[in-house]
Amino acid sequence: MKVSSSLVEAHVFRKVENDLEFLLLKRGDNENYPGIWQMVTGAIDEDEKAFDTALREIREETGLQPQKLWVVPTVNSFYSPEKDMIIMIPVFAALVKNNDAIIISSEHSEFKWVKKDEAKKMLAWNGQRTSVDTIYQYFTLEMNTLYFNEIKFG
C-alpha cells in the first residue's frame, strides 16, 4: 500500500469583531459527495507546491484573494480502497477581507459564512471539524501555545 499527498484543504475565514466566521461551500449535484458542505479543497497539480494549490483553489472556487495564508499544524487523511492508498491532506487557513465578494465555481451550488459551532455541525468528517477547532483556538488566542507557519506570497 502507498501513501500519497495529492489533495489540500483550505479553511477560508474572516474576522468579525472578536470572533471568526468560516466559509463553507455546498458541493454541486454533479460532483463527488453531492450536497455536502466543505471548505475549499482541491488536487495538487504536478510540480505544484501544496500551498500554491490552496491559493489557486481558493481563487477558482470562491474568487477570493487571501490576505494571509498559514499552515495549520495538522494533516488530515483517508484511505482510498480503489487505489489501496492512504491520502494525506495538508491543511491551510486563509484570512480574507470581510466585504470581499464571493463568486463560487460550478463545483458548488451555494456558500455560507458560519461561526465555529455551526461549521462543525455542517462538516462531514471529523478531521475537518478538528481543523476548525484548531484554527479557531489559534486565531482567538484560546491556545496561544500553538504555532502556525505563515506562508508569504504575492
Side-chain angles (χ1 to χ4, degrees):
M1 178 175 51
K2 294 182 181 179
V3 176
S4 173
S5 183
S6 57
L7 302 170
V8 300
E9 284 183 14
H11 292 264
V12 176
F13 72 96
R14 63 185 183 185
K15 293 182 179 179
V16 179
E17 297 172 8
N18 293 328
D19 206 357
L20 303 182
E21 290 183 340
F22 293 87
L23 178 65
L24 295 185
L25 306 167
K26 187 176 183 181
R27 302 274 301 175
D29 290 338
N30 296 326
E31 299 294 321
N32 290 334
Y33 304 107
I36 70 161
W37 288 90
Q38 66 177 157
M39 73 299 306
V40 171
T41 62
I44 301 170
D45 289 342
E46 189 175 332
D47 297 326
E48 186 177 44
K49 293 180 180 175
F51 69 85
D52 286 327
T53 300
L55 291 167
R56 175 179 53 77
E57 290 289 346
I58 291 168
R59 284 189 303 272
E60 290 176 1
E61 294 186 10
T62 69
L64 295 171
Q65 176 63 45
Q67 292 179 291
K68 293 186 175 189
L69 183 72
W70 293 269
V71 177
V72 179
T74 188
V75 175
N76 287 325
S77 62
F78 69 93
Y79 172 72
S80 169
E82 299 84 18
K83 297 178 181 177
D84 190 31
M85 182 181 296
I86 295 174
I87 309 295
M88 305 298 289
I89 308 166
V91 179
F92 299 92
L95 175 66
V96 297
K97 293 180 185 173
N98 288 11
N99 56 354
D100 283 351
I102 297 172
I103 304 165
I104 58 172
S105 72
S106 61
E107 294 176 40
H108 302 97
S109 59
E110 53 185 295
F111 72 90
K112 281 186 180 182
W113 285 107
V114 296
K115 303 279 187 192
K116 173 189 74 163
D117 289 340
E118 187 174 355
K120 289 173 56 180
K121 288 177 187 173
M122 294 172 70
L123 291 168
W125 289 283
N126 187 54
Q128 296 170 342
R129 293 187 292 273
T130 299
S131 294
V132 166
D133 270 335
T134 302
I135 293 164
Y136 186 85
Q137 289 168 351
Y138 181 75
F139 287 101
T140 61
L141 302 178
E142 284 185 5
M143 277 190 71
N144 58 9
T145 57
L146 293 173
Y147 179 75
F148 283 24
N149 282 317
E150 183 177 347
I151 297 170
K152 302 294 184 185
F153 63 93

